[in-house]
Amino acid sequence: FFFSAVILGVFVIAIAYTIGDAGYSSELATPGSRFDINAFGSLLHTNYLGRTKIHLPTTASTMIDAKNILAEKPPSEAHGSIVIADRQTQAKGRKGRKWVASSIDNIYASFIWVPSQATIPPKTPQQLPTHLIKLNLAVPLAIARACSAEGVSYVGVKWPNDVWINGYKVAGALIDYIGRQGHSGAVVGVGINTN
C-alpha cells in the first residue's frame, strides 16, 4: 500500500511547488489565485491521480465537491479526480468539527480513490474494508514523507490523521468512505498549513 503513499506524496509536492511563495504569479493561474492548474498538472507524474483536476477559487468544501463527482461519474472516470480550492467556507475535520479554511496560503484538496480501479484492486469483496482502512495509514504517512523529501526536519504523524512538524500541527487528512451501486470508494481530504 506504500504505492498509494508515494502517489499522494507526489500530489502534495506538486501542489506545494505550484503554489510557490507569496510572490508567485502566472498568466495561467486562476484570476485572484496563485494556483496554476496547468503547472500542477505538468508536475504530477501519476497514472491516474489528477487525470481530472478541478480548481475552485472558493467552495463550500472540496470533500463535498469530490463526493458529487463520485456520485455522478462512473468509477473509472471518478478514480483519481482531484478538487483543489483556495478557500473553503464549510470545511470540516474529524467527527464533524468545524475547520477554518479561509487562507489562500494553505492547501485544501480532496481526491477520489476507487479501489476497484486501483493498480492492485482488492481480489475479493471481503478485502475491500481492509484496502480502504489502509488508506487511513497511507495518507498521513505520505504527507509526512513529502515534507521530509522537501528537507523539513522533525516531521511526525499523530494518529490517526495529523502531521506535526517540530511540535506544531501542519496538516490533517479526513477520509470518508462511500458505497454506491456495488462500487465503494473513498474521498480523501487533505489540508496543509503552508503559511
Side-chain angles (χ1 to χ4, degrees):
F1 216 83
F2 285 107
F3 179 74
S4 301
V6 171
I7 289 174
L8 184 61
V10 170
F11 159 68
V12 172
I13 291 169
I15 290 177
Y17 276 131
T18 303
I19 290 177
D21 62 25
Y24 180 86
S25 65
S26 169
E27 294 174 7
L28 300 172
T30 304
S33 170
R34 290 194 331 256
F35 185 78
D36 183 333
I37 198 149
N38 294 323
F40 169 66
S42 72
L43 292 168
L44 192 62
H45 304 287
T46 64
N47 292 327
Y48 50 83
L49 185 64
R51 190 175 5 182
T52 300
K53 297 173 281 303
I54 299 168
H55 173 246
L56 304 166
T58 301
T59 188
S61 163
T62 60
M63 294 283 286
I64 293 170
D65 296 327
K67 287 177 187 178
N68 290 338
I69 291 169
L70 185 58
E72 295 166 5
K73 294 190 179 254
S76 60
E77 290 181 33
H79 183 61
S81 295
I82 299 172
V83 180
I84 302 161
D86 294 334
R87 293 178 182 84
Q88 297 182 101
T89 59
Q90 296 175 20
K92 67 175 185 168
R94 285 184 62 231
K95 299 180 181 178
R97 293 181 185 120
K98 184 177 178 180
W99 187 62
V100 178
S102 59
S103 174
I104 194 170
D105 295 325
N106 295 323
I107 297 169
Y108 314 113
S110 295
F111 74 89
I112 299 169
W113 181 264
V114 180
S116 65
Q117 303 298 308
T119 304
I120 304 174
K123 293 180 181 177
T124 67
Q126 292 77 18
Q127 291 177 332
L128 181 62
T130 302
H131 187 90
L132 290 171
I133 288 170
K134 288 180 181 178
L135 204 52
N136 277 326
L137 304 174
V139 171
L141 284 173
I143 296 168
R145 286 182 178 182
C147 292
S148 293
E150 289 302 302
V152 177
S153 302
Y154 308 108
V155 180
V157 174
K158 180 180 175 188
W159 299 109
N161 66 337
D162 294 338
V163 177
W164 290 64
I165 296 175
N166 202 25
Y168 295 95
K169 179 180 174 181
V170 296
L174 180 65
I175 302 171
D176 281 350
Y177 302 103
I178 299 152
R180 70 172 184 90
Q181 300 173 342
H183 293 284
S184 294
V187 172
V188 180
V190 177
I192 302 175
N193 300 325
T194 58
N195 58 8

PDB file of all heavy atoms in Angstrom, residues 140-165:
ATOM      1  N   PRO A 140      -1.573  10.110   5.976  1.00  0.00           N
ATOM      2  CA  PRO A 140      -0.699  10.965   6.798  1.00  0.00           C
ATOM      3  C   PRO A 140       0.781  10.622   6.614  1.00  0.00           C
ATOM      4  O   PRO A 140       1.638  11.512   6.648  1.00  0.00           O
ATOM      5  CB  PRO A 140      -1.159  10.731   8.231  1.00  0.00           C
ATOM      6  CG  PRO A 140      -2.075   9.571   8.202  1.00  0.00           C
ATOM      7  CD  PRO A 140      -2.516   9.357   6.799  1.00  0.00           C
ATOM      8  N   LEU A 141       1.090   9.349   6.391  1.00  0.00           N
ATOM      9  CA  LEU A 141       2.490   8.986   6.129  1.00  0.00           C
ATOM     10  C   LEU A 141       3.000   9.625   4.852  1.00  0.00           C
ATOM     11  O   LEU A 141       4.142  10.088   4.780  1.00  0.00           O
ATOM     12  CB  LEU A 141       2.646   7.461   6.039  1.00  0.00           C
ATOM     13  CG  LEU A 141       2.615   6.709   7.362  1.00  0.00           C
ATOM     14  CD1 LEU A 141       2.609   5.200   7.113  1.00  0.00           C
ATOM     15  CD2 LEU A 141       3.790   7.106   8.242  1.00  0.00           C
ATOM     16  N   ALA A 142       2.159   9.663   3.823  1.00  0.00           N
ATOM     17  CA  ALA A 142       2.566  10.267   2.559  1.00  0.00           C
ATOM     18  C   ALA A 142       2.824  11.763   2.714  1.00  0.00           C
ATOM     19  O   ALA A 142       3.787  12.293   2.163  1.00  0.00           O
ATOM     20  CB  ALA A 142       1.502  10.025   1.497  1.00  0.00           C
ATOM     21  N   ILE A 143       1.967  12.437   3.476  1.00  0.00           N
ATOM     22  CA  ILE A 143       2.179  13.868   3.703  1.00  0.00           C
ATOM     23  C   ILE A 143       3.487  14.090   4.457  1.00  0.00           C
ATOM     24  O   ILE A 143       4.288  14.954   4.099  1.00  0.00           O
ATOM     25  CB  ILE A 143       0.991  14.486   4.469  1.00  0.00           C
ATOM     26  CG1 ILE A 143      -0.283  14.396   3.620  1.00  0.00           C
ATOM     27  CG2 ILE A 143       1.286  15.933   4.850  1.00  0.00           C
ATOM     28  CD1 ILE A 143      -1.544  14.719   4.391  1.00  0.00           C
ATOM     29  N   ALA A 144       3.722  13.287   5.492  1.00  0.00           N
ATOM     30  CA  ALA A 144       4.968  13.405   6.260  1.00  0.00           C
ATOM     31  C   ALA A 144       6.175  13.135   5.380  1.00  0.00           C
ATOM     32  O   ALA A 144       7.183  13.850   5.445  1.00  0.00           O
ATOM     33  CB  ALA A 144       4.939  12.445   7.452  1.00  0.00           C
ATOM     34  N   ARG A 145       6.097  12.111   4.539  1.00  0.00           N
ATOM     35  CA  ARG A 145       7.216  11.795   3.639  1.00  0.00           C
ATOM     36  C   ARG A 145       7.450  12.911   2.633  1.00  0.00           C
ATOM     37  O   ARG A 145       8.586  13.214   2.283  1.00  0.00           O
ATOM     38  CB  ARG A 145       6.955  10.479   2.922  1.00  0.00           C
ATOM     39  CG  ARG A 145       7.136   9.290   3.820  1.00  0.00           C
ATOM     40  CD  ARG A 145       6.916   8.029   3.055  1.00  0.00           C
ATOM     41  NE  ARG A 145       7.139   6.888   3.923  1.00  0.00           N
ATOM     42  CZ  ARG A 145       7.051   5.646   3.522  1.00  0.00           C
ATOM     43  NH1 ARG A 145       6.749   5.365   2.272  1.00  0.00           N
ATOM     44  NH2 ARG A 145       7.257   4.662   4.377  1.00  0.00           N
ATOM     45  N   ALA A 146       6.371  13.511   2.140  1.00  0.00           N
ATOM     46  CA  ALA A 146       6.522  14.617   1.193  1.00  0.00           C
ATOM     47  C   ALA A 146       7.236  15.791   1.865  1.00  0.00           C
ATOM     48  O   ALA A 146       8.111  16.417   1.272  1.00  0.00           O
ATOM     49  CB  ALA A 146       5.160  15.046   0.660  1.00  0.00           C
ATOM     50  N   CYS A 147       6.870  16.072   3.117  1.00  0.00           N
ATOM     51  CA  CYS A 147       7.550  17.145   3.859  1.00  0.00           C
ATOM     52  C   CYS A 147       9.025  16.811   4.051  1.00  0.00           C
ATOM     53  O   CYS A 147       9.901  17.659   3.845  1.00  0.00           O
ATOM     54  CB  CYS A 147       6.872  17.367   5.205  1.00  0.00           C
ATOM     55  SG  CYS A 147       5.216  18.043   5.105  1.00  0.00           S
ATOM     56  N   SER A 148       9.314  15.578   4.446  1.00  0.00           N
ATOM     57  CA  SER A 148      10.712  15.154   4.639  1.00  0.00           C
ATOM     58  C   SER A 148      11.499  15.239   3.347  1.00  0.00           C
ATOM     59  O   SER A 148      12.655  15.663   3.337  1.00  0.00           O
ATOM     60  CB  SER A 148      10.772  13.726   5.184  1.00  0.00           C
ATOM     61  OG  SER A 148      10.258  13.684   6.493  1.00  0.00           O
ATOM     62  N   ALA A 149      10.870  14.848   2.242  1.00  0.00           N
ATOM     63  CA  ALA A 149      11.545  14.894   0.939  1.00  0.00           C
ATOM     64  C   ALA A 149      11.901  16.319   0.538  1.00  0.00           C
ATOM     65  O   ALA A 149      12.848  16.540  -0.216  1.00  0.00           O
ATOM     66  CB  ALA A 149      10.668  14.258  -0.140  1.00  0.00           C
ATOM     67  N   GLU A 150      11.163  17.280   1.086  1.00  0.00           N
ATOM     68  CA  GLU A 150      11.447  18.683   0.801  1.00  0.00           C
ATOM     69  C   GLU A 150      12.421  19.287   1.815  1.00  0.00           C
ATOM     70  O   GLU A 150      12.638  20.489   1.826  1.00  0.00           O
ATOM     71  CB  GLU A 150      10.142  19.489   0.781  1.00  0.00           C
ATOM     72  CG  GLU A 150       9.296  19.186  -0.425  1.00  0.00           C
ATOM     73  CD  GLU A 150      10.037  19.450  -1.723  1.00  0.00           C
ATOM     74  OE1 GLU A 150      10.492  20.587  -1.943  1.00  0.00           O
ATOM     75  OE2 GLU A 150      10.191  18.502  -2.502  1.00  0.00           O
ATOM     76  N   GLY A 151      12.989  18.448   2.672  1.00  0.00           N
ATOM     77  CA  GLY A 151      14.016  18.905   3.599  1.00  0.00           C
ATOM     78  C   GLY A 151      13.510  19.361   4.953  1.00  0.00           C
ATOM     79  O   GLY A 151      14.269  19.926   5.747  1.00  0.00           O
ATOM     80  N   VAL A 152      12.250  19.128   5.252  1.00  0.00           N
ATOM     81  CA  VAL A 152      11.697  19.529   6.539  1.00  0.00           C
ATOM     82  C   VAL A 152      12.137  18.525   7.602  1.00  0.00           C
ATOM     83  O   VAL A 152      12.038  17.318   7.408  1.00  0.00           O
ATOM     84  CB  VAL A 152      10.155  19.604   6.471  1.00  0.00           C
ATOM     85  CG1 VAL A 152       9.576  19.947   7.828  1.00  0.00           C
ATOM     86  CG2 VAL A 152       9.720  20.608   5.415  1.00  0.00           C
ATOM     87  N   SER A 153      12.621  19.020   8.733  1.00  0.00           N
ATOM     88  CA  SER A 153      13.072  18.163   9.829  1.00  0.00           C
ATOM     89  C   SER A 153      11.976  18.012  10.882  1.00  0.00           C
ATOM     90  O   SER A 153      11.059  18.819  10.960  1.00  0.00           O
ATOM     91  CB  SER A 153      14.306  18.765  10.497  1.00  0.00           C
ATOM     92  OG  SER A 153      15.337  18.923   9.560  1.00  0.00           O
ATOM     93  N   TYR A 154      12.119  16.997  11.705  1.00  0.00           N
ATOM     94  CA  TYR A 154      11.223  16.753  12.839  1.00  0.00           C
ATOM     95  C   TYR A 154       9.762  16.584  12.425  1.00  0.00           C
ATOM     96  O   TYR A 154       8.866  17.166  13.027  1.00  0.00           O
ATOM     97  CB  TYR A 154      11.364  17.861  13.894  1.00  0.00           C
ATOM     98  CG  TYR A 154      12.780  18.099  14.322  1.00  0.00           C
ATOM     99  CD1 TYR A 154      13.452  19.255  13.933  1.00  0.00           C
ATOM    100  CD2 TYR A 154      13.457  17.152  15.079  1.00  0.00           C
ATOM    101  CE1 TYR A 154      14.771  19.465  14.303  1.00  0.00           C
ATOM    102  CE2 TYR A 154      14.774  17.361  15.457  1.00  0.00           C
ATOM    103  CZ  TYR A 154      15.431  18.511  15.067  1.00  0.00           C
ATOM    104  OH  TYR A 154      16.723  18.714  15.439  1.00  0.00           O
ATOM    105  N   VAL A 155       9.541  15.822  11.381  1.00  0.00           N
ATOM    106  CA  VAL A 155       8.183  15.540  10.911  1.00  0.00           C
ATOM    107  C   VAL A 155       7.700  14.259  11.563  1.00  0.00           C
ATOM    108  O   VAL A 155       8.421  13.264  11.617  1.00  0.00           O
ATOM    109  CB  VAL A 155       8.147  15.377   9.372  1.00  0.00           C
ATOM    110  CG1 VAL A 155       6.733  15.086   8.905  1.00  0.00           C
ATOM    111  CG2 VAL A 155       8.697  16.612   8.689  1.00  0.00           C
ATOM    112  N   GLY A 156       6.468  14.279  12.040  1.00  0.00           N
ATOM    113  CA  GLY A 156       5.896  13.081  12.638  1.00  0.00           C
ATOM    114  C   GLY A 156       4.405  13.003  12.389  1.00  0.00           C
ATOM    115  O   GLY A 156       3.775  13.974  11.977  1.00  0.00           O
ATOM    116  N   VAL A 157       3.851  11.835  12.622  1.00  0.00           N
ATOM    117  CA  VAL A 157       2.420  11.623  12.457  1.00  0.00           C
ATOM    118  C   VAL A 157       1.813  11.389  13.829  1.00  0.00           C
ATOM    119  O   VAL A 157       2.311  10.588  14.615  1.00  0.00           O
ATOM    120  CB  VAL A 157       2.149  10.406  11.540  1.00  0.00           C
ATOM    121  CG1 VAL A 157       0.656  10.098  11.492  1.00  0.00           C
ATOM    122  CG2 VAL A 157       2.693  10.651  10.145  1.00  0.00           C
ATOM    123  N   LYS A 158       0.758  12.126  14.117  1.00  0.00           N
ATOM    124  CA  LYS A 158      -0.018  11.902  15.328  1.00  0.00           C
ATOM    125  C   LYS A 158      -1.288  11.206  14.860  1.00  0.00           C
ATOM    126  O   LYS A 158      -2.120  11.788  14.155  1.00  0.00           O
ATOM    127  CB  LYS A 158      -0.357  13.225  16.020  1.00  0.00           C
ATOM    128  CG  LYS A 158      -1.162  13.035  17.286  1.00  0.00           C
ATOM    129  CD  LYS A 158      -1.476  14.378  17.926  1.00  0.00           C
ATOM    130  CE  LYS A 158      -2.382  14.155  19.117  1.00  0.00           C
ATOM    131  NZ  LYS A 158      -2.879  15.415  19.655  1.00  0.00           N
ATOM    132  N   TRP A 159      -1.394   9.942  15.207  1.00  0.00           N
ATOM    133  CA  TRP A 159      -2.502   9.140  14.692  1.00  0.00           C
ATOM    134  C   TRP A 159      -3.818   9.638  15.258  1.00  0.00           C
ATOM    135  O   TRP A 159      -3.866  10.104  16.386  1.00  0.00           O
ATOM    136  CB  TRP A 159      -2.277   7.666  15.044  1.00  0.00           C
ATOM    137  CG  TRP A 159      -1.020   7.178  14.414  1.00  0.00           C
ATOM    138  CD1 TRP A 159       0.150   6.875  15.047  1.00  0.00           C
ATOM    139  CD2 TRP A 159      -0.777   6.986  13.024  1.00  0.00           C
ATOM    140  NE1 TRP A 159       1.100   6.496  14.142  1.00  0.00           N
ATOM    141  CE2 TRP A 159       0.553   6.561  12.880  1.00  0.00           C
ATOM    142  CE3 TRP A 159      -1.532   7.129  11.866  1.00  0.00           C
ATOM    143  CZ2 TRP A 159       1.133   6.287  11.652  1.00  0.00           C
ATOM    144  CZ3 TRP A 159      -0.961   6.843  10.648  1.00  0.00           C
ATOM    145  CH2 TRP A 159       0.354   6.429  10.559  1.00  0.00           C
ATOM    146  N   PRO A 160      -4.859   9.583  14.447  1.00  0.00           N
ATOM    147  CA  PRO A 160      -4.889   8.857  13.181  1.00  0.00           C
ATOM    148  C   PRO A 160      -4.624   9.690  11.943  1.00  0.00           C
ATOM    149  O   PRO A 160      -4.390   9.135  10.884  1.00  0.00           O
ATOM    150  CB  PRO A 160      -6.331   8.335  13.134  1.00  0.00           C
ATOM    151  CG  PRO A 160      -7.129   9.407  13.808  1.00  0.00           C
ATOM    152  CD  PRO A 160      -6.219   9.949  14.890  1.00  0.00           C
ATOM    153  N   ASN A 161      -4.670  11.036  12.033  1.00  0.00           N
ATOM    154  CA  ASN A 161      -4.670  11.752  10.764  1.00  0.00           C
ATOM    155  C   ASN A 161      -3.916  13.077  10.734  1.00  0.00           C
ATOM    156  O   ASN A 161      -4.073  13.843   9.795  1.00  0.00           O
ATOM    157  CB  ASN A 161      -6.115  12.005  10.318  1.00  0.00           C
ATOM    158  CG  ASN A 161      -6.840  12.958  11.252  1.00  0.00           C
ATOM    159  OD1 ASN A 161      -6.477  13.118  12.408  1.00  0.00           O
ATOM    160  ND2 ASN A 161      -7.872  13.593  10.752  1.00  0.00           N
ATOM    161  N   ASP A 162      -3.104  13.362  11.720  1.00  0.00           N
ATOM    162  CA  ASP A 162      -2.425  14.654  11.773  1.00  0.00           C
ATOM    163  C   ASP A 162      -0.934  14.518  11.507  1.00  0.00           C
ATOM    164  O   ASP A 162      -0.306  13.540  11.914  1.00  0.00           O
ATOM    165  CB  ASP A 162      -2.613  15.308  13.147  1.00  0.00           C
ATOM    166  CG  ASP A 162      -4.050  15.683  13.430  1.00  0.00           C
ATOM    167  OD1 ASP A 162      -4.819  15.843  12.460  1.00  0.00           O
ATOM    168  OD2 ASP A 162      -4.413  15.817  14.606  1.00  0.00           O
ATOM    169  N   VAL A 163      -0.382  15.531  10.862  1.00  0.00           N
ATOM    170  CA  VAL A 163       1.059  15.603  10.631  1.00  0.00           C
ATOM    171  C   VAL A 163       1.575  16.804  11.413  1.00  0.00           C
ATOM    172  O   VAL A 163       1.029  17.907  11.315  1.00  0.00           O
ATOM    173  CB  VAL A 163       1.384  15.742   9.125  1.00  0.00           C
ATOM    174  CG1 VAL A 163       2.886  15.889   8.914  1.00  0.00           C
ATOM    175  CG2 VAL A 163       0.844  14.538   8.353  1.00  0.00           C
ATOM    176  N   TRP A 164       2.616  16.554  12.173  1.00  0.00           N
ATOM    177  CA  TRP A 164       3.206  17.584  13.016  1.00  0.00           C
ATOM    178  C   TRP A 164       4.658  17.822  12.613  1.00  0.00           C
ATOM    179  O   TRP A 164       5.356  16.888  12.225  1.00  0.00           O
ATOM    180  CB  TRP A 164       3.164  17.154  14.487  1.00  0.00           C
ATOM    181  CG  TRP A 164       1.775  17.153  15.053  1.00  0.00           C
ATOM    182  CD1 TRP A 164       0.728  16.359  14.674  1.00  0.00           C
ATOM    183  CD2 TRP A 164       1.282  18.002  16.079  1.00  0.00           C
ATOM    184  NE1 TRP A 164      -0.387  16.647  15.412  1.00  0.00           N
ATOM    185  CE2 TRP A 164      -0.077  17.653  16.282  1.00  0.00           C
ATOM    186  CE3 TRP A 164       1.847  18.999  16.837  1.00  0.00           C
ATOM    187  CZ2 TRP A 164      -0.871  18.295  17.229  1.00  0.00           C
ATOM    188  CZ3 TRP A 164       1.056  19.621  17.791  1.00  0.00           C
ATOM    189  CH2 TRP A 164      -0.280  19.270  17.971  1.00  0.00           C
ATOM    190  N   ILE A 165       5.084  19.072  12.714  1.00  0.00           N
ATOM    191  CA  ILE A 165       6.486  19.417  12.475  1.00  0.00           C
ATOM    192  C   ILE A 165       6.962  20.213  13.682  1.00  0.00           C
ATOM    193  O   ILE A 165       6.392  21.253  14.016  1.00  0.00           O
ATOM    194  CB  ILE A 165       6.666  20.249  11.184  1.00  0.00           C
ATOM    195  CG1 ILE A 165       6.254  19.417   9.964  1.00  0.00           C
ATOM    196  CG2 ILE A 165       8.102  20.734  11.054  1.00  0.00           C
ATOM    197  CD1 ILE A 165       6.288  20.178   8.650  1.00  0.00           C
TER     198      ILE A 165
END
